[in-house]
Amino acid sequence: MGQLAGVQIAATGSYVPEEVVTNEDLAALGCDSEWIIRRTGIHARRRASEDQATSDLCYEAAVRCINEAGISVDQIDLIIVATMTPDHPTPSTACHLQRRLGAVAPAMDLNAACAGFMYGLITGSQFISTGNNQCVLVVGADMMSCTVNPDDKKTYPLFGDAAGAVLLTADPEKTGSGILSYQVGSEGCGGEMLCIPAGGTRQELTPEMHSQGQQFLAMDGRNVFKWAVRVFDESAKQVLQQADVDANELALVVLHQANQRIIDAAVSDLNVQREKVFVNLDKYGNTSGASIPLALDEAVRDGKINRGDLVLLCGFGAGLAWGTALMRW
């Protein structure tokens, strides 16, 4: 638990690839459109083109964020990219983004899967809060279409590709903006519930492993569901209690957009009005690290978040890892 005062999200930006893949499009692969909607709430998702990599999605979201902020690239003094689908094992996707932007800032990747943006947000806020940086660009981006097996009819329809970005600065007017309370955590004992088995130093991607589909994401959906609902309920209540804020004071709740049933179950015990829970997974599916910044950008553009609002954020995913934060926008 902690607090990071005096940090402001100065601007947001996002990017989704042009190609829309509907549930009907997936019917050709044997996926049941009605099952997808009933079990997940997802109607469509975006798919990157063959010539796009994760850094390309990052770049588009970052440029939109920077333009919205009205700053020059040379004012950025740190770049953090949260992703589990990097362009390469090395160099970092953040360094690719730094090069394309023409920035001179240090740049690093951070991998906490679907909780990655929350880890990046809190890490970037630490640099601002301590006075070590003045302008931090945090990008969450993933090309999940590259990680899922088309033959896995229950997992393949869940994921999409996207990127979202926020620009963190010190609160110039001393309005009380910042992270009023946050919690990050992990339960590594559940790592096998969301895992890509082969392709790392534990298990190289041999032709045999490739033929078995070990390069694709394996998910224990039922147990991940139970875990996600529990961890949000526990962490959200602890974060609100730490800040002495009642749930009915929240202007908006933005959870990782994984599954409508997870979102419904997670907020049911929080006493939050349904219209205060932001949802866009019906259009984009689960975009992993991009999920929360993509939702934040849409919420800002839709006028659902205004300065001074209390916003509760929570990301959760492989690791198992999670991050929850209460922000005064």
Side-chain angles (χ1 to χ4, degrees):
M1 302 291 290
Q3 181 184 50
L4 296 167
V7 181
Q8 186 176 83
I9 293 182
T12 62
S14 63
Y15 171 77
V16 293
E18 293 184 7
E19 184 181 358
V20 179
V21 180
T22 66
N23 293 345
E24 289 70 28
D25 294 330
L26 297 181
L29 299 175
C31 298
D32 184 332
S33 175
E34 289 304 315
W35 180 90
I36 296 171
I37 295 171
R38 186 174 66 254
R39 300 293 291 180
T40 71
I42 299 169
H43 291 253
R45 70 286 295 149
R46 299 298 181 97
R47 179 186 294 156
S49 60
E50 291 185 1
D51 62 348
Q52 285 182 312
T54 297
S55 65
D56 298 315
L57 277 59
C58 291
Y59 175 78
E60 297 294 338
V63 166
R64 296 177 189 192
C65 182
I66 292 166
N67 289 341
E68 181 66 25
I71 66 163
S72 60
V73 170
D74 59 10
Q75 290 178 260
I76 299 171
D77 48 18
L78 177 64
I79 297 172
I80 300 173
V81 172
T83 186
M84 60 173 282
T85 59
D87 288 22
H88 309 286
T90 194
S92 71
T93 301
C95 281
H96 285 304
L97 175 61
Q98 182 250 11
R99 170 182 53 81
R100 286 198 62 186
L101 289 174
V104 294
M108 62 180 178
D109 281 2
L110 189 157
N111 180 3
C114 299
F117 174 76
M118 292 305 300
Y119 273 63
L121 176 70
I122 291 164
T123 300
S125 296
Q126 296 272 7
F127 280 89
I128 297 289
S129 185
T130 57
N132 288 311
N133 290 99
Q134 300 300 313
C135 191
V136 176
L137 178 67
V138 181
V139 183
D142 275 307
M143 283 179 52
M144 296 302 294
S145 62
C146 298
T147 71
V148 285
N149 188 344
D151 293 330
D152 185 345
K153 304 302 186 291
K154 291 186 177 180
T155 303
Y156 188 73
L158 305 182
F159 295 95
D161 305 334
V166 300
L167 193 73
L168 302 177
T169 64
D171 177 6
E173 305 297 329
K174 308 298 182 183
T175 61
S177 295
I179 298 177
L180 305 186
S181 178
Y182 74 88
Q183 181 190 76
V184 288
S186 60
E187 294 180 7
C189 57
E192 73 285 349
M193 285 196 272
L194 270 168
C195 180
I196 297 177
T201 57
R202 176 63 61 189
Q203 174 60 64
E204 65 177 304
L205 187 57
T206 63
E208 181 182 11
M209 290 293 101
H210 191 277
S211 66
Q212 295 174 8
Q214 297 297 297
Q215 73 275 26
F216 293 124
L217 181 69
M219 181 171 69
D220 180 354
R222 177 172 297 182
N223 284 319
V224 169
F225 181 102
K226 294 177 181 177
W227 171 82
V229 172
R230 174 180 62 82
V231 79
F232 171 74
D233 181 66
E234 293 175 355
S235 65
K237 288 178 179 177
Q238 291 171 13
V239 163
L240 290 172
Q241 182 179 19
Q242 178 74 15
D244 194 23
V245 169
D246 192 89
N248 62 24
E249 298 178 62
L250 298 172
L252 201 67
V253 177
V254 181
L255 277 69
H256 167 48
Q257 305 288 296
N259 183 306
Q260 185 65 57
R261 292 170 62 238
I262 290 179
I263 294 173
D264 290 343
V267 300
S268 63
D269 197 34
L270 199 60
N271 194 27
V272 176
Q273 295 172 316
R274 184 67 53 184
E275 58 269 22
K276 291 185 177 182
V277 181
F278 190 85
V279 176
N280 66 358
L281 70 86
D282 55 316
K283 297 183 291 183
Y284 306 119
N286 183 342
T287 57
S288 190
S291 165
I292 291 176
L294 173 60
L296 282 177
D297 186 45
E298 286 205 353
V300 169
R301 288 189 282 110
D302 290 347
K304 295 183 181 295
I305 304 178
N306 299 290
R307 285 293 167 209
D309 283 349
L310 290 172
V311 181
L312 182 67
L313 311 173
C314 182
F316 43 83
L320 298 166
W322 73 91
T324 304
L326 174 66
M327 292 198 70
R328 185 174 298 279
W329 199 264

